Amino acid sequence: MTQPILNVRGLVKRFGGLLATDHVDLTVQPGEIHALIGPNGAGKTTLISQLMGELKPNEGTVELAGQSLDALPTAQRVGLGLARTFQITCLLPDYTVIDNVALAVQVRQGHSFRFWKNVRADHSLRDEASTLLTGTGLEPRANELVANLSHGEQKQLELTIALATQPRLLLLDEPMAGLGHVESQQMIETLRGLKNQVSMLLVEHDMDAVFALADRISVLVYGRVIASGSVDEIRQNPEVRTAYLGEGDELC
Amino acid sequence: MTLFLEQLLNGVQFGVMLFLMAAGLTLIFGIMGVINLAHGSIYMIGAYAGTFVATETGSFWLGIPAALAAAALAGVVIEFLVVRRLYGRDHLDQVLATFGLILIFNQAVTMLFGRQPLFVQMPSILDGSVELLPGLSYPIYRLTIILVGLLVAFGLYLLINRTRIGMLVRAGSTNREMVRALGVDVRLLYTLVFGLGALLAGLAGFMAGPILAVQIGMGEQILITTFVVVVIGGVGSIRGAFFASLILGIVDTGLRAYLPGLLRQVMVGPEADALGAGISSMGIYLLMAIVLLIRPKGLFIRNS
Amino acid sequence: MNSETSFKRPALLAAVLIVLIALPTIADATGYSALTSLATRILIYGIAAASLNLVLGYGGLVSFGHAAFFGIGGYVVGILYQHYSLEEPLFGFIPGTNQMLITLPAAILISGLAAAAIGALSLRTGGVQFIMITLAFAQMLFFLFVSLKTYGGDDGLIIRRTNELPGLNMRDKHTVYYVCLVITAAFFALLWRIVNSRFGNVLVGLRQSEKRMAAIGLPAYRYRLMAFIISGMGCGLAGALMANFLRFASPDMMHWTKSGELMVMVILGGVGTLFGPLIGAAVFIVLETTLASWTENWQLALGFILLFVVLYTHGGVQALVLRLAHRPENRNRFSESTMRRFKVLERPLRVRKDARRSNGKR
Ligand SMILES: Nc1ncnc2c1ncn2[C@@H]1O[C@H](COP(=O)(O)OP(=O)(O)OP(=O)(O)O)[C@@H](O)[C@H]1O
Ligand SMILES: [Mg+2]
């Protein structure tokens, strides 16, 4: 069996009395899109934040391709190939679209203790950033300030920036949330296109998107993984139906 | 030994004063997210108002309500006119606006009272000493300060842990939005908290009067020390402020009392005194540096 | 960013430079010879404020202790001079000197070291603690120098003569002014490179969102520390120049109000702009001088002006002027930043459930 790209064992996170992550085990195989679904407040974002090292878990271990991440700060985890997008977008509002992407490229290229050369005339950054933007719909908006972007464009930019770090595993926190129908379809297409390059952990409420993209699905309820399996297994799972999808026969 | 106990009490007394300041400062920051440099000015206002009334009327006791009222009033006015506009602004704006307030208050007080320090006469029942232990007599006034400070600390403990306001305060410091969502009049809560902090600062200022001179700049001196308390105790933690105040009070007093003597063993008198004074005034900052090295968030903040 | 455009107005820059070069001559010709001294002070404070602005405006770190480095710079000059004139080496082996080519680099170095130590500690926290800690450490150094009786204690150190530069007559006020002007020009050119470099890029990124920078893999601490050190060195340089100009170094140079004044200069001129602090220093010093000549209660007026600037203008004098000049790009920048302020207040901590549910159903 191949080594999983992501291996989470016994992860626990408490906020005071609340168990936001309850002994979570999770594996993502290389090349797969693993969807993580669950109702509001299930602890999906909290889980991603722990994988990134932004939040410290109370217990448990996280491995990326066999390497333990537990002692590493966020920055180093990114260096090892982990990247995320934010549910509530988190971008640099005073910078333009291309500045945001170029900065991610810059950080990936190595340390930034360079004090002399003008960064905005640096072709090794600008060219790669442009390449990353081509074909994304953000291309014509490259020189727009991020603060002026629409919500959908910001979501798209979140993804482009994450890709600029050249991740091996992409953690996507509700990339479709708040997008219109057309934008959602574009996002699905984009993610499908990335499938061969990078593994993904996809948190999403939009079940159409999940069923369209996912290879495997895990269901998180009250911080616990109550089911994990292929798309069909999850569709059939009665526990999931009651806990998450609601009583009705119809799926969303 | 008695000398040591006396210094210890002096340290506690200083610590208690610091606590009165730090409690207000840390509450205001914890709940409203505002850093208020003018807290020292309120301390000064309390001291001046109380001392002025006490001197004019000849009654120390009348000075107390005057100090409290003036400080609370100043606090509420500051909140209403300036600080209210600073919620949600960045720290830079808060620092600069309240720095402006310091300039204004210092100058206004200079215009009203002149540059000469004021002194206030202690009432006769507090002026004297009691024998606590054989050979250890201690000024009643300082003992009173300690007592008042501990009472205030206990009162704050009850207020925060046992009352509805306290519940809101606790909730407010962790989740501002939630309190707002509960339909609480946040503005009123903020004004009350600010007024309470101001009241405590005014009390501290007036009580300091008979021990220290009442003068321009007294507020900033204690303010900066209070910052050290808050950093060591952990921002937003009243309990932390209490223990950190006592620790700092004792450390500072102890260094001042004993360091010059120790240095005199190895160098000549006046130089030892000067250097000793220098190092002991640096002592609390060095303590802060050590705390930052081991627990950057403060000694009394639980790691979550 | 308008830091970028700052040098794109070469004509304006050249004009200002020409005026500055001609200033002593103009001052003498019009009989206002005090103008030269005033301008020297403005240049020196401009360097200090611009240094502070590197961490404050570009880095978003509110340091309330930068007067410490200003004072250290001054004391390096003063102490080296004292050992030079007494002809006894410092610590028994460092000879004193009155050569500016040595004292300035020494001042920069020592204040850089101090900034490294203070920065390394204070950057372990952030936000409001950072403000309090930098203030406290500056106060600590203030007390230290007050207690150093060898170096004048409370009264400070008198430097009988301005440091020497080979081939120049440093007793001439004009020469001192020109030396300061050259150093200021060089300093701002350097700063301009820095803020537009890769380093400046991450620094400004960190100000906008530390979370985002971590998510693209940036370890924040070391960059902030470096910015803090550079900024401390700049303040040290300014302090050394000031000690030379006043021929005096005293604990007052590192008094906490001095830190406050430097911040006021930054905000008066415009936070996070290259030349803003220089403009701010000019406004502050002219204001101080004028107010002080009218009334001895000038601090009262200053306090009210500061309150007004903070509460009612966003972006300081420079932005105010530009807005009055109706530059469209600035109007935009304005409403944008004002809007963001509101958005921050409105943004719920978590997206509402009902909103989400409809979203999931779709
Ligand atoms: N910093 C925090 N402090 C305390 N509680 C928190 C914190 N962050 C999250 N929580 C709580 O933990 C639980 C899980 O939150 P989380 O944001 O991870 O849910 P989620 O699955 O991402 O939900 P959504 O679908 O709404 O995004 C919630 O009950 C939330 O209120
Ligand atoms: Mg979430």
Side-chain angles (χ1 to χ4, degrees):
Chain A
M1 201 182 140
T2 50
Q3 187 181 44
I5 180 85
L6 179 75
N7 190 7
V8 180
R9 286 288 159 259
L11 207 65
V12 174
K13 177 73 194 174
R14 296 187 190 90
F15 290 119
L18 178 84
L19 247 183
T21 307
D22 185 359
H23 298 89
V24 165
D25 295 335
L26 189 73
T27 40
V28 178
Q29 298 300 334
E32 79 172 352
I33 296 186
H34 191 122
L36 183 67
I37 62 173
N40 289 116
K44 303 178 295 292
T45 301
T46 307
L47 180 64
I48 289 191
S49 303
Q50 291 171 85
L51 299 183
M52 288 298 288
E54 293 155 0
L55 274 178
K56 234 177 125 71
N58 296 98
E59 291 169 30
T61 59
V62 179
E63 283 177 2
L64 184 73
Q67 182 176 3
S68 167
L69 300 181
D70 298 327
L72 301 182
T74 306
Q76 281 188 35
R77 297 184 191 210
V78 176
L80 289 175
L82 208 53
R84 76 171 288 181
T85 65
F86 292 94
Q87 179 179 0
I88 297 170
T89 54
C90 175
L91 298 160
L92 306 179
D94 299 345
Y95 275 177
T96 62
V97 169
I98 192 165
D99 287 343
N100 269 269
V101 181
L103 186 51
V105 175
Q106 175 188 328
V107 173
R108 195 200 72 226
Q109 283 185 359
H111 71 79
S112 292
F113 288 114
R114 302 208 198 145
F115 303 93
W116 195 254
K117 229 174 110 183
N118 188 341
V119 67
R120 289 193 173 68
D122 189 333
H123 289 295
S124 74
L125 301 179
R126 303 311 265 190
D127 293 351
E128 186 176 337
S130 304
T131 315
L132 282 159
L133 286 172
T134 37
T136 61
L138 286 171
E139 208 176 348
R141 306 277 277 163
N143 290 312
E144 188 63 64
L145 282 184
V146 164
N148 300 336
L149 293 188
S150 74
H151 178 72
E153 288 168 328
Q154 295 202 7
K155 285 276 179 186
Q156 173 69 53
L157 182 56
E158 282 269 343
L159 179 63
T160 311
I161 292 174
L163 290 173
T165 68
Q166 293 184 351
R168 304 161 71 184
L169 174 65
L170 199 50
L171 311 173
L172 299 162
D173 198 352
E174 305 197 19
M176 273 53 124
L179 297 194
H181 184 70
V182 180
E183 285 175 321
S184 286
Q185 290 308 315
Q186 281 168 351
M187 184 63 86
I188 291 174
E189 283 318 308
T190 313
L191 294 181
R192 210 198 301 274
L194 289 168
K195 199 165 168 175
N196 300 322
Q197 304 164 27
V198 53
S199 320
M200 290 177 230
L201 181 68
L202 171 68
V203 170
E204 189 48 64
H205 280 287
D206 183 339
M207 296 314 273
D208 293 339
V210 168
F211 290 140
L213 287 169
D215 301 306
R216 292 170 65 78
I217 300 179
S218 291
V219 185
L220 196 70
V221 178
Y222 292 125
R224 261 182 339 111
V225 177
I226 60 163
S228 194
S230 69
V231 175
D232 285 336
E233 282 164 7
I234 295 299
R235 272 191 215 257
Q236 307 309 332
N237 187 319
E239 208 183 337
V240 175
R241 288 186 159 217
T242 44
Y244 180 58
L245 300 174
E247 244 74 16
D249 287 325
E250 196 184 330
L251 288 180
C252 295
Chain B
M1 186 60 196
T2 54
L3 183 67
F4 175 74
L5 281 178
E6 190 180 331
Q7 293 300 351
L8 192 67
L9 281 171
N10 280 345
V12 172
Q13 179 259 309
F14 182 43
V16 152
M17 299 283 282
L18 286 177
F19 172 68
L20 290 180
M21 291 292 288
L25 203 67
T26 209
L27 261 183
I28 290 169
F29 181 76
I31 294 165
M32 306 168 220
V34 168
I35 172 167
N36 176 26
L37 297 185
H39 207 64
S41 301
I42 297 174
Y43 169 88
M44 175 182 73
I45 289 172
Y48 268 94
T51 305
F52 176 73
V53 169
T55 315
E56 290 294 306
T57 61
S59 158
F60 179 86
W61 305 111
L62 282 180
I64 297 176
L68 295 183
L73 187 70
V76 170
V77 169
I78 289 175
E79 201 273 344
F80 192 76
L81 291 181
V82 179
V83 175
R84 183 163 284 195
R85 297 165 198 276
L86 297 171
Y87 302 137
R89 292 264 200 117
D90 55 23
H91 292 319
L92 178 61
D93 284 355
Q94 298 171 354
V95 164
L96 284 164
T98 51
F99 179 66
L101 285 177
I102 294 184
L103 297 180
I104 292 171
F105 281 118
N106 278 351
Q107 201 63 43
V109 170
T110 312
M111 286 159 71
L112 287 173
F113 295 96
R115 292 203 172 275
Q116 287 301 317
L118 304 185
F119 293 95
V120 60
Q121 203 60 47
M122 267 182 245
S124 47
I125 28 165
L126 297 183
D127 194 6
S129 302
V130 282
E131 186 151 327
L132 291 177
L133 289 172
L136 172 68
S137 65
Y138 196 74
I140 301 177
Y141 186 73
R142 286 178 184 261
L143 274 184
T144 316
I145 293 183
I146 295 178
L147 203 68
V148 170
L150 293 180
L151 277 177
V152 168
F154 184 63
L156 277 179
Y157 173 80
L158 289 184
L159 180 77
I160 289 181
N161 289 299
R162 296 288 154 81
T163 66
R164 196 178 132 74
I165 291 190
M167 189 201 78
L168 290 177
V169 163
R170 273 178 295 145
S173 61
T174 50
N175 196 341
R176 238 162 271 161
E177 314 288 330
M178 198 182 82
V179 172
R180 216 166 278 165
L182 286 176
V184 175
D185 186 348
V186 182
R187 291 192 156 203
L188 185 65
L189 180 70
Y190 283 8
T191 310
L192 281 180
V193 169
F194 205 91
L196 176 68
L199 195 80
L200 297 180
L203 177 65
F206 182 60
M207 290 200 307
I211 302 179
L212 312 161
V214 175
Q215 59 188 343
I216 311 293
M218 66 189 287
E220 287 80 69
Q221 204 155 2
I222 196 163
L223 178 79
I224 297 176
T225 316
T226 307
F227 280 170
V228 178
V229 169
V230 172
V231 169
I232 290 183
V235 170
S237 158
I238 301 257
R239 202 173 64 98
F242 182 72
F243 291 113
S245 299
L246 291 184
I247 293 172
L248 277 199
I250 292 169
V251 167
D252 189 61
T253 313
L255 281 177
R256 280 174 209 280
Y258 292 108
L259 196 64
L262 287 178
L263 286 176
R264 232 174 284 154
Q265 317 258 328
V266 292
M267 55 204 292
V268 285
E271 273 189 22
D273 289 347
L275 191 65
I279 297 182
S280 45
S281 47
M282 288 168 61
I284 55 169
Y285 304 103
L286 295 176
L287 192 66
M288 176 180 81
I290 295 169
V291 170
L292 282 174
L293 277 177
I294 49 177
R295 309 233 7 204
K297 291 210 169 121
L299 284 185
F300 298 90
I301 296 283
R302 269 177 242 111
N303 278 342
S304 67
Chain C
M1 287 243 27
N2 67 341
S3 60
E4 234 187 322
T5 55
S6 295
F7 260 85
K8 285 187 185 160
R9 299 194 210 110
L12 181 65
L13 201 67
V16 171
L17 210 55
I18 289 170
V19 171
L20 285 175
I21 291 170
L23 191 117
T25 324
I26 300 172
D28 283 357
T30 53
Y32 289 107
S33 48
L35 210 59
T36 309
S37 298
L38 193 74
T40 315
R41 278 175 60 208
I42 290 175
L43 292 178
I44 295 174
Y45 276 123
I47 293 179
S51 302
L52 173 61
N53 190 36
L54 184 68
V55 286
L56 190 82
Y58 290 97
L61 299 166
V62 184
S63 163
F64 206 144
H66 260 57
F69 312 121
F70 189 69
I72 288 174
Y75 266 102
V76 168
V77 172
I79 290 173
L80 286 175
Y81 187 85
Q82 170 156 323
H83 286 280
Y84 162 79
S85 59
L86 296 178
E87 293 181 2
E88 57 180 37
L90 174 63
F91 306 130
F93 71 98
I94 304 171
T97 176
N98 69 338
Q99 291 300 318
M100 196 175 261
L101 287 178
I102 299 172
T103 57
L104 289 194
I108 293 172
L109 182 73
I110 305 288
S111 43
L113 289 175
I118 293 180
L121 284 169
S122 14
L123 287 168
R124 289 172 65 84
T125 66
V128 69
Q129 278 110 318
F130 183 78
I131 303 173
M132 298 180 181
I133 293 163
T134 46
L135 176 59
F137 278 129
Q139 189 74 356
M140 176 180 95
L141 287 172
F142 173 79
F143 283 131
L144 175 69
F145 280 96
V146 165
S147 74
L148 284 181
K149 295 285 180 259
T150 342
Y151 299 119
D154 238 346
D155 302 325
L157 261 181
I158 291 178
I159 300 162
R160 208 150 313 122
R161 280 209 202 140
T162 306
N163 285 171
E164 287 174 4
L165 268 179
L168 293 177
N169 172 18
M170 294 296 281
R171 305 177 74 171
D172 177 26
K173 287 267 174 230
H174 289 189
T175 314
V176 173
Y177 169 79
Y178 283 117
V179 167
C180 287
L181 183 60
V182 169
I183 293 178
T184 309
F187 175 80
F188 273 88
L190 186 68
L191 202 59
W192 169 61
R193 297 305 311 202
I194 290 178
V195 300
N196 288 301
S197 70
R198 285 192 176 212
F199 175 75
N201 201 24
V202 298
L203 194 61
V204 175
L206 281 170
R207 182 200 66 207
Q208 295 174 64
S209 171
E210 184 172 355
K211 201 164 131 195
R212 166 45 70 197
M213 295 307 285
I216 59 173
L218 187 91
Y221 182 81
R222 56 190 78 159
Y223 294 100
R224 290 197 163 136
L225 183 57
M226 180 53 86
F228 199 82
I229 294 172
I230 295 174
S231 145
M233 297 200 307
C235 273
L237 168 68
L241 290 175
M242 190 52 94
N244 269 297
F245 171 69
L246 298 173
R247 285 178 277 122
F248 184 55
S250 76
D252 276 346
M253 288 178 86
M254 46 179 80
H255 196 251
W256 71 274
T257 48
K258 189 64 81 187
S259 297
E261 283 170 14
L262 291 179
M263 288 170 82
V264 173
M265 291 174 195
V266 173
I267 199 173
L268 280 179
V271 180
T273 60
L274 187 61
F275 288 109
L278 191 58
I279 299 171
V283 172
F284 182 86
I285 287 171
V286 170
L287 203 64
E288 181 185 341
T289 317
T290 338
L291 288 176
S293 69
W294 287 342
T295 162
E296 66 179 82
N297 298 319
W298 60 275
Q299 293 216 336
L300 193 70
L302 186 63
F304 280 113
I305 291 173
L306 184 55
L307 266 187
F308 173 80
V309 169
V310 175
L311 294 180
Y312 298 106
T313 75
H314 304 293
V317 175
Q318 204 183 31
L320 203 65
V321 170
L322 290 175
R323 181 160 59 159
L324 292 179
H326 281 295
R327 296 187 80 117
E329 81 264 23
N330 268 285
R331 263 223 319 275
N332 253 337
R333 195 167 77 90
F334 247 104
S335 53
E336 207 53 57
S337 65
T338 321
M339 285 315 294
R340 205 171 311 128
R341 215 153 251 162
F342 282 103
K343 277 184 199 147
V344 167
L345 282 177
E346 284 168 3
R347 191 192 302 142
L349 274 188
R350 350 201 28 76
V351 179
R352 290 252 164 62
K353 291 221 159 162
D354 41 358
R356 183 66 60 65
R357 207 171 290 137
S358 63
N359 200 353
K361 283 236 175 78
R362 209 195 39 245

